[in-house]
C-alpha cells in the first residue's frame, strides 16, 4: 500500500499575505460591480473611500480610533482561537468592561488623573475577564458550549446595562439613558492634545491614548502566546487536547485561562469609548466591535501583527465608508455595510475557497523555474 503524499509546503507569505490579498481583491471587485449597477463610478467610490480614511490628519485620527477597538476585540478572539475556542461574547465583555471603567470614573472624584486612569484600565480588564470567566468555567467543567453561553451573555450584558443606565446610574434630572459626565481627571488625553503639547499640530479627532495602549497590548499578547509557558499550553490544548493531556497539560485550566485573558482584552474597548471619547457611560457603545473582531482575528491569522493590519483595514472601511456615503448619497450607509460584509465573507467564511488554487499556481510556477529540483 502506497502512503499518501504529504501536503505541499509553500512559503508563509503565500498563505499569510497572498491569500488574504486575493480574498480582499475579490471582495472589492464584487463591491465595485454592485456600485456600478446602481450607476456610480467604482473607481471614484474607491478613491473617496481611501481619501475619506487617510486624506487628512483628522481623518487618519478617526480611522485609528476605530482601529483601536478592532485591535482589542481581534486580540481577544485570537487568544480564544489559539485554545480551540470560539468566543462570540466580545460584545458583551466589552460592554461590561466599559461598565467597570464607568464605575471607577464616577467613584474616584478628585483623585489624581494618572491614578484614576490606571485603575480604570485595570477595571476594564477585570470586569471583562470576570464576564468571560463564567462561559469559560462552564465549558471547561460542565461541557457547556462556549459559543452558546457567550451569545447568551451578550444579551445578559445588554439587559444589565440597560437596567443600570435607566434605573441606577442615569444622570439626575435627565431622561436619556446615560450617566453624568466624568470629571476631567478621568479623561484619557486626545492625541491631538498630546501632539499639540510638543508643538505638532494635527487635526482634531476621537483618537486618544487608547491607541498606544492597544499597540502595547498587541506586543504583550505576542509575548504571552509565543514566549511563555502559559501560551505554549494554550496552543497545545487548541491543537490537540489528547496530546496536551498526555503531556500533563490541563485542558480545563487553560480553557478558563484563555477565556479570562480574552475577556480582559475585549473589556479594554471600554477604555477607548468611555474615558477616551464619550466621558460618560452610554448605551450601545460597543456598536458591534465585538462581532467584527471575529473577522479581524480570522483575517489577521490570529497573529498580533496580522490583527493590526486587519484592524486598520476595518478602521478604514468604517471611517472611509462614512465619508463615502456622505459624498455620494446614492451609496447609502447600508451599501457601505454591504462592502464591509463582503470583506468579512471572503476573508472569514470563504477564506479557504481560493487557497488551493493559489497554492497550486505557486507550486506550478516554482517547479517550472527549478525543473531539476522538481525531479
Amino acid at each position: 500500500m502506497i502512503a499518501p503524499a504529504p501536503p505541499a509546503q509553500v512559503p508563509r507569505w503565500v498563505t499569510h499575505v497572498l491569500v488574504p490579498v486575493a480574498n480582499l481583491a475579490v471582495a472589492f471587485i464584487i463591491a465595485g460591480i454592485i456600485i456600478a449597477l446602481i450607476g456610480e463610478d467604482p473607481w471614484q467610490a474607491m478613491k473617496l473611500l481611501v481619501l475619506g480614511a487617510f486624506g487628512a490628519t483628522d481623518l487618519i485620527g478617526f480611522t485609528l480610533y476605530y482601529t483601536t477597538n478592532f485591535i482589542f476585540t481581534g486580540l481577544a478572539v485570537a487568544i480564544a482561537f489559539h485554545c480551540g475556542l470560539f468566543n462570540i461574547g466580545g460584545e458583551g465583555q466589552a460592554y461590561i468592561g466599559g461598565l467597570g471603567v464607568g464605575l471607577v470614573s464616577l467613584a474616584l472624584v478628585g483623585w489624581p488623573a494618572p491614578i484614576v486612569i490606571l485603575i480604570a484600565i485595570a477595571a476594564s480588564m477585570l470586569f471583562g475577564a470576570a464576564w468571560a470567566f463564567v462561559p469559560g468555567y462552564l465549558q471547561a467543567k460542565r461541557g457547556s458550549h462556549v459559543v452558546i453561553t457567550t451569545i447568551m451573555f451578550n444579551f445578559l450584558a445588554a439587559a444589565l446595562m440597560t437596567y443600570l443606565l435607566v434605573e441606577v446610574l442615569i444622570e439626575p434630572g435627565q431622561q436619556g439613558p446615560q450617566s453624568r459626565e466624568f470629571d476631567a481627571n478621568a479623561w484619557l488625553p486626545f492625541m491631538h492634545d498630546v501632539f499639540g503639547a510638543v508643538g505638532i499640530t494635527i487635526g482634531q479627532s476621537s483618537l486618544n491614548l487608547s491607541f498606544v495602549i492597544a499597540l502595547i497590548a498587541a506586543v504583550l499578547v505576542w509575548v504571552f502566546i509565543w514566549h511563555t509557558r502559559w501560551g505554549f499550553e494554550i496552543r497545545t490544548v487548541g491543537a490537540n487536547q489528547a496530546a496536551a493531556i498526555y503531556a500533563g497539560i490541563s485542558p480545563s485550566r487553560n480553557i478558563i485561562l484563555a477565556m479570562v485573558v480574552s475577556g480582559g482584552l475585549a473589556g479594554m474597548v471600554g477604555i477607548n469609548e468611555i474615558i477616551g471619547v464619550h466621558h460618560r457611560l452610554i448605551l450601545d457603545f460597543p456598536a458591534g466591535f465585538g462581532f467584527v473582531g471575529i473577522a479581524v482575528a480570522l483575517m489577521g491569522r490570529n497573529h498580533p501583527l496580522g490583527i493590526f493590519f486587519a484592524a486598520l483595514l476595518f478602521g478604514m472601511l468604517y471611517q472611509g465608508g462614512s465619508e463615502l456615503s456622505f459624498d455620494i448619497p446614492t451609496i447609502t450607509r447600508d451599501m457601505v455595510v454591504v462592502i464591509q460584509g463582503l470583506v468579512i465573507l471572503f476573508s472569514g467564511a470563504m477564506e479557504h475557497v481560493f487557497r488551493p488554487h493559489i497554492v497550486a499556481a505557486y507550486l506550478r510556477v516554482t517547479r517550472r523555474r527549478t525543473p531539476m529540483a522538481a525531479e
Side-chain angles (χ1 to χ4, degrees):
M1 181 177 179
I2 300 175
Q9 297 295 319
V10 296
R12 296 180 66 182
W13 66 265
V14 173
T15 56
H16 287 66
V17 177
L18 191 57
V19 173
V21 168
N23 289 333
L24 270 179
V26 174
F28 281 115
I29 288 172
I30 295 177
I33 293 173
I34 295 174
I35 292 173
L37 289 175
I38 64 173
E40 299 294 342
D41 183 355
W43 293 110
Q44 179 66 14
M46 183 58 66
K47 180 181 176 182
L48 290 173
L49 182 73
V50 174
L51 289 178
F54 301 111
T57 56
D58 58 334
L59 300 177
I60 295 174
F62 281 110
T63 299
L64 295 181
Y65 152 67
Y66 291 120
T67 301
T68 302
N69 287 330
F70 295 133
I71 291 176
F72 285 135
T73 56
L75 291 173
V77 175
I79 289 280
F81 270 150
H82 280 295
C83 197
L85 304 169
F86 200 3
N87 179 16
I88 304 182
E91 192 80 357
Q93 292 146 20
Y95 225 161
I96 298 303
L99 173 63
V101 174
L103 292 178
V104 168
S105 302
L106 290 171
L108 302 184
V109 177
W111 287 44
I115 295 178
V116 177
I117 291 172
L118 286 176
I119 295 177
I121 293 172
S124 72
M125 293 187 289
L126 182 62
F127 275 60
W131 200 250
F133 169 80
V134 180
Y137 178 84
L138 293 174
Q139 165 89 35
K141 301 294 186 181
R142 295 292 182 268
S144 303
H145 203 292
V146 74
V147 171
I148 305 300
T149 52
T150 50
I151 289 175
M152 296 310 299
F153 267 62
N154 285 339
F155 289 109
L156 291 176
L160 175 64
M161 289 295 287
T162 300
Y163 167 76
L164 290 175
L165 285 175
V166 172
E167 301 290 345
V168 182
L169 299 174
I170 189 171
E171 184 176 7
Q174 300 295 321
Q175 293 185 339
Q178 61 184 25
S179 72
R180 65 169 174 81
E181 189 175 65
F182 306 144
D183 290 347
N185 63 342
W187 295 11
L188 209 57
F190 287 109
M191 293 303 288
H192 56 258
D193 292 330
V194 174
F195 279 97
V198 295
I200 301 175
T201 303
I202 62 174
Q204 293 190 4
S205 69
S206 297
L207 182 64
N208 56 79
L209 276 181
S210 298
F211 179 68
V212 178
I213 297 172
L215 295 181
I216 294 172
V219 174
L220 292 179
V221 166
W222 175 73
V223 173
F224 176 76
I225 288 295
W226 280 280
H227 295 279
T228 67
R229 181 174 61 85
W230 287 343
F232 174 77
E233 291 187 358
I234 285 175
R235 285 186 290 127
T236 304
V237 171
N240 190 322
Q241 284 201 15
I245 295 172
Y246 185 75
I249 297 173
S250 169
S252 60
R253 184 185 64 200
N254 283 281
I255 286 172
I256 295 174
L257 173 63
M259 283 301 294
V260 166
V261 176
S262 178
L265 287 164
M268 295 176 78
V269 170
I271 304 171
N272 189 32
E273 292 294 324
I274 299 302
I275 61 173
V277 176
H278 301 294
H279 304 144
R280 65 174 76 224
L281 268 173
I282 62 172
L283 278 180
D284 299 328
F285 70 83
F289 296 124
F291 297 121
V292 179
I294 298 170
V296 171
L298 286 171
M299 194 169 178
R301 298 294 187 269
N302 298 317
H303 190 284
L305 184 61
I307 287 171
F308 169 77
F309 286 110
L312 183 62
L313 170 67
F314 279 93
M316 181 198 78
L317 290 174
Y318 266 62
Q319 171 56 29
S322 299
E323 297 294 325
L324 175 61
S325 60
F326 179 78
D327 291 331
I328 304 179
T330 52
I331 302 178
T332 63
R333 183 64 193 167
D334 292 334
M335 182 69 71
V336 175
V337 173
V338 169
I339 297 174
Q340 295 167 356
L342 287 171
V343 172
I344 293 173
L345 177 66
F346 282 95
S347 62
M350 298 178 65
E351 68 164 346
H352 298 295
V353 171
F354 304 107
R355 181 195 297 270
H357 305 287
I358 295 173
V359 170
Y362 172 82
L363 292 174
R364 280 197 299 271
V365 171
T366 54
R367 283 169 181 166
R368 284 175 186 169
R369 290 180 178 175
T370 56
M372 295 301 293
E375 294 174 0

